[in-house]
């Protein structure tokens, strides 16, 4: 048997599992999106594009959830991008001591379970017993309704998400910065450019491939965010932090409307593909 056959033999178990639990459900969602499949009756009939017509009709709140998801992503992506880039620059600088410790510290939130993150921050920001409000009260300030006010709850979800993913993207930028030859830094210094000009005019253009990857991955992550928000706010107060992934979950498993949920999943898939291709095209044109 040839060596490449051995390679496929070792890959086969993973390919089978991937096909059963990822590829098959993904493809089946395209079919269920065209039916009114009910998870209580375990049956449904073909309805064509009726689910999509309902979602974009006036009686559905899908449009508001979709807009909220775009807003959430539009806030998370740039904040996470520049935060991770800043952390990478700081932890790659020769002027900073303990760079290895700082990298581990900033990367640590990415290693935590989303459930642990949601529960921990829910406790930190609780109005009555939250650590932050207790500290505010001890210093004579009034407690802040972090998770009771719609705007503050939404902002809290954004910032907690950034806190979770920034270290992951920082490592990507760290690798890209390390790969830049030292001659580039030395030549920029000899030209008399200050650190700001050196970074944005010389170093940052060399980071474009990594920047594209970070933007695409952060967009995908933000558009399909679920676990942290579900545990942290459960979509509340009201529906202030309910994003598309949660709406799909509620529709499929609480309302038992698998056909409608599948239609939402297809729309989310189309949005992610479109946004990713747009980001890649725009950034490649600038390089």
């Amino acid at each position: 048997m040839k060596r490449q056959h051995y390679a496929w033999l070792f890959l086969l178990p993973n390919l089978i599992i991937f096909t059963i639990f990822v590829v098959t459900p993904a493809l089946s969602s395209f079919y269920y999106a065209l039916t009114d499949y009910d998870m209580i009756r375990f049956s449904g009939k073909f309805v064509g594009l009726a689910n999509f017509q309902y979602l974009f009709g006036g009686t559905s709140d899908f449009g508001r959830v979709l807009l909220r998801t775009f807003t959430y992503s539009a806030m998370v992506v740039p904040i996470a991008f520049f935060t991770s880039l800043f952390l990478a620059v700081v932890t790659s600088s020769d002027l900073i001591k303990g760079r290895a410790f700082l990298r581990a510290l900033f990367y640590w939130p990415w290693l935590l379970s989303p459930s642990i993150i949601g529960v921990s921050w829910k406790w930190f920001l609780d109005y009555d017993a939250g650590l932050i409000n207790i500290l505010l009260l001890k210093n004579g300030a009034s407690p802040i309704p972090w998770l009771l006010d719609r705007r503050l709850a939404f902002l809290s979800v954004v910032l907690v998400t950034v806190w979770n993913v920034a270290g992951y993207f920082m490592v990507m930028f760290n690798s890209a910065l390390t790969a830049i030859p030292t001659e580039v830094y030395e030549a920029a210094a000899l030209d008399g450019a200050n650190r700001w000009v050196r970074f944005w005019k010389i170093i940052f253009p060399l980071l474009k491939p990594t920047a594209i990857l970070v933007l695409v991955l952060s967009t995908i992550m933000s558009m399909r965010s679920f676990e942290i928000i579900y545990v942290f706010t459960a979509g509340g107060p009201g529906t202030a932090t309910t994003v598309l992934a949660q709406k799909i979950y509620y529709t499929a498993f609480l309302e038992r409307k698998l056909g409608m949920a599948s239609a939402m999943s297809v729309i989310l898939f189309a949005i992610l593909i479109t946004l990713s291709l747009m980001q890649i095209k725009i950034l490649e044109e600038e390089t």
Side-chain angles (χ1 to χ4, degrees):
M1 185 180 290
K2 295 181 180 180
R3 295 184 64 181
Q4 59 193 31
H5 293 160
Y6 283 113
W8 280 108
L9 188 62
F10 282 112
L11 288 172
L12 188 60
N14 284 333
L15 290 174
I16 293 174
I17 293 173
F18 181 77
T19 301
I20 294 174
F21 293 103
V22 178
V23 176
T24 302
L27 293 178
S28 64
S29 66
F30 286 90
Y31 165 73
Y32 286 123
L34 303 176
T35 70
D36 63 350
Y37 195 91
D38 191 313
M39 293 185 67
I40 295 179
R41 295 183 286 109
F42 290 102
S43 63
K45 63 179 183 297
F46 183 81
V47 296
L49 299 177
N51 288 330
F52 297 94
Q53 292 173 348
Y54 172 78
L55 291 176
F56 290 104
T59 58
S60 172
D61 65 342
F62 178 75
R64 291 190 294 273
V65 173
L66 188 59
L67 178 60
R68 188 179 302 118
T69 306
F70 277 123
T71 304
Y72 169 77
S73 183
M75 294 177 68
V76 168
V77 172
I79 296 175
F81 181 88
F82 288 108
T83 301
S84 58
L85 180 59
F86 172 76
L87 294 177
V89 172
V90 169
T91 55
S92 298
S93 174
D94 294 333
L95 302 176
I96 303 298
K97 295 182 179 180
R99 293 191 300 273
F101 170 76
L102 290 176
R103 287 175 186 170
L105 180 65
F106 296 142
Y107 185 73
W108 167 69
W110 176 254
L111 302 177
L112 297 177
S113 164
S115 299
I116 293 176
I117 293 172
V119 170
S120 300
W121 279 101
K122 188 175 183 179
W123 176 73
F124 282 134
L125 300 178
D126 185 79
Y127 183 77
D128 296 313
L131 177 62
I132 294 178
N133 278 344
I134 289 175
L135 294 175
L136 289 174
L137 284 171
K138 287 187 175 181
N139 287 277
S142 300
I144 299 174
W146 302 102
L147 303 181
L148 302 178
D149 180 86
R150 296 177 66 88
R151 293 183 178 179
L152 286 177
F154 190 82
L155 180 61
S156 299
V157 167
V158 169
L159 294 179
V160 169
T161 303
V162 172
W163 177 83
N164 173 227
V165 303
Y168 174 70
F169 296 127
M170 174 200 70
V171 172
M172 294 185 181
F173 280 123
N174 274 139
S175 300
L177 288 169
T178 304
I180 296 176
T182 55
E183 291 81 2
V184 174
Y185 295 98
E186 294 171 356
L190 290 174
D191 287 339
N194 59 44
R195 291 181 179 274
W196 182 262
V197 173
R198 264 183 275 169
F199 180 78
W200 290 110
K201 296 296 183 180
I202 300 173
I203 305 302
F204 186 70
L206 298 175
L207 299 176
K208 282 293 179 66
T210 303
I212 293 173
L213 179 61
V214 169
L215 286 174
V216 170
L217 289 179
S218 60
T219 299
I220 293 172
M221 286 181 182
S222 61
M223 288 294 294
R224 55 191 293 271
S225 290
F226 174 77
E227 297 97 331
I228 291 178
I229 299 176
Y230 182 76
V231 177
F232 186 31
T233 64
T239 58
T241 58
T242 300
V243 291
L244 190 50
Q246 279 186 292
K247 180 67 175 176
I248 293 171
Y249 172 80
Y250 293 147
T251 303
F253 298 104
L254 298 184
E255 299 177 15
R256 313 296 186 188
K257 298 177 181 178
L258 184 61
M260 193 68 66
S262 297
M264 296 181 192
S265 299
V266 171
I267 294 171
L268 177 59
F269 172 78
I271 291 171
L272 290 176
I273 290 293
T274 303
L275 290 176
S276 299
L277 292 176
M278 286 174 57
Q279 287 178 332
I280 293 173
K281 183 175 179 60
I282 291 172
L283 289 172
E284 283 183 345
E285 287 177 353
E286 294 179 358
T287 55

